[in-house]
Amino acid sequence: MKAVVNEDLCIGCGVCESLCPQVFKLGDDGKAHVVADDCSAGCCEDAKDSCPVGAISLEE
Ligand code: SF4
């Protein structure tokens, strides 16, 4: 599974990075970026469910 961040929606709150730092990193642009395609730790789902603006989607 692969996470995708919609940067138009992301408000840079950092929740995804704190829940799943191996996959999400906040960039200098104040948006979250996907830095790894590996969701095997299972936290991508948590990040998706916890994103306040629904900016994270998961693809097979
Ligand atoms: S949780 Fe959502 S809004 Fe917050 S930084 Fe991550 S993608 Fe952006």
Side-chain angles (χ1 to χ4, degrees):
M1 205 144 51
K2 182 180 183 315
V4 178
V5 172
N6 182 334
E7 293 182 10
D8 292 334
L9 296 177
C10 175
I11 56 170
C13 69
V15 166
C16 55
E17 186 180 31
S18 63
L19 288 172
C20 203
Q22 65 268 50
V23 174
F24 301 96
K25 282 270 177 291
L26 279 183
D28 292 339
D29 57 358
K31 307 281 184 179
H33 296 276
V34 175
V35 294
D37 287 341
D38 181 11
C39 284
S40 58
C43 55
C44 290
E45 200 85 30
D46 292 342
K48 173 179 176 280
D49 292 344
S50 301
C51 176
V53 294
I56 299 172
S57 52
L58 300 179
E59 297 176 351
E60 290 304 321

